[in-house]
Amino acid sequence: EVVMTQSPATLSVSPGERVTLSCRASQSVSSKLAWHQQKPGQAPRLLIYSVSTRPTGIPARFSGSGSGTEFTLTINSLQSEDFAVYYCQQYYNWPHTLGQGTEVEIK
Amino acid sequence: QVTLRESGPALVKPTQTLTLTCTFSGFSLSTSGMCVIWIRQTPGKALEWLARIDWDEDKYYNTSLQTRLTISKDTSKNQVVLTMTNMDPVDTATYYCARIGGAARREYYYDYWGQGILVTVSS
């Protein structure tokens, strides 16, 4: 199965900063890559799919890029509500695996 | 509006069988391209998918757990049921159901999640 590796495990940032999270796949997943956000005590929610597409209601400060095996989630001007754990998910090969998550915490 | 909600016991004893129900609204699991998947999250926060059922009755299981898992659907009730046998304390986790709404377009991302249910396995 495809192994998704996220880095770093934890990011300590201040509100207003720009944040870049990385996700690497053990083999190419083409553009079949999604990001999910999980706030403390809440269920995950879809943040981005197809590498860079935001569902309705997701703020434009969230953006995704990459292809093949290397992907990035960028959060511009981090807001207080963005402190959460972020998971990448590949859905190119079955089983559709998720990374172990990157926690974005307040510095 | 799509919603999913998990229900079942909060506590089970070792060796017992766990039965979880995902009750959803806002879509039909008889519609082409719709799937429901079960995922669990251990206290260490790792997410592990368990089983998936598709609109066309196809079923998929995590190979490491497949001997213990059964997934089924009741389209008339808008429910998906997951059973897991021989529960062990290591199965203590929050169990989520989620929807895959784009399978017909080969878009298998999880677009809606339930709130999750914490299941503790302890005697």
Side-chain angles (χ1 to χ4, degrees):
Chain A
E1 71 181 37
V2 179
V3 177
M4 306 301 289
T5 302
Q6 293 185 241
S7 61
T10 306
L11 265 177
S12 296
V13 297
S14 301
E17 289 186 359
R18 181 182 184 186
V19 172
T20 299
L21 288 65
S22 295
C23 175
R24 173 177 292 179
S26 60
Q27 62 190 78
S28 176
V29 298
S30 186
S31 61
K32 305 294 188 182
L33 193 284
W35 291 91
H36 301 271
Q37 175 195 61
Q38 186 175 32
K39 298 180 182 179
Q42 297 185 18
R45 71 162 178 167
L46 177 67
L47 204 60
I48 284 183
Y49 63 94
S50 297
V51 177
S52 59
T53 303
R54 292 186 311 276
T56 303
I58 301 299
R61 63 180 181 274
F62 293 95
S63 63
S65 62
S67 65
T69 61
E70 301 282 346
F71 302 91
T72 298
L73 173 68
T74 300
I75 312 172
N76 285 305
S77 188
L78 198 74
Q79 304 295 302
S80 58
E81 62 266 30
D82 300 334
F83 291 97
V85 180
Y86 294 84
Y87 296 92
C88 60
Q89 175 217 340
Q90 68 82 20
Y91 50 97
Y92 183 71
N93 279 332
W94 184 256
H96 301 140
T97 44
L98 295 104
Q100 80 281 15
T102 290
E103 181 177 9
V104 177
E105 64 176 23
I106 300 174
K107 189 173 185 179
Chain B
Q1 180 188 3
V2 173
T3 64
L4 302 99
R5 186 184 76 251
E6 304 85 352
S7 59
L11 178 66
V12 297
K13 291 181 167 51
T15 75
Q16 286 188 335
T17 294
L18 171 69
T19 299
L20 295 173
T21 300
C22 176
T23 303
F24 55 86
S25 63
F27 69 99
S28 171
L29 202 41
S30 62
T31 299
S32 177
M34 296 296 166
C35 317
V36 171
I37 190 165
W38 282 95
I39 300 153
R40 69 180 178 181
Q41 185 169 40
T42 57
K45 304 297 185 184
L47 289 165
E48 177 183 36
W49 77 274
L50 301 174
R52 178 186 124 194
I53 189 164
D54 295 356
W55 77 98
D56 58 1
E57 302 282 354
D58 279 349
K59 301 171 186 178
Y60 303 84
Y61 295 100
N62 185 314
T63 54
S64 65
L65 295 167
Q66 65 181 10
T67 60
R68 300 172 53 204
L69 295 172
T70 302
I71 192 169
S72 62
K73 67 183 177 83
D74 186 330
T75 303
S76 65
K77 293 182 178 179
N78 280 350
Q79 291 181 333
V80 171
V81 176
L82 180 76
T83 61
M84 180 180 291
T85 61
N86 195 25
M87 293 294 284
D88 184 272
V90 300
D91 297 313
T92 293
T94 297
Y95 288 74
Y96 295 98
C97 60
R99 188 189 85 158
I100 296 170
R105 297 173 282 113
R106 299 185 60 80
E107 295 290 331
Y108 294 96
Y109 52 85
Y110 314 148
D111 55 0
Y112 293 92
W113 296 68
Q115 281 299 302
I117 181 169
L118 175 60
V119 177
T120 301
V121 184
S122 174
S123 55

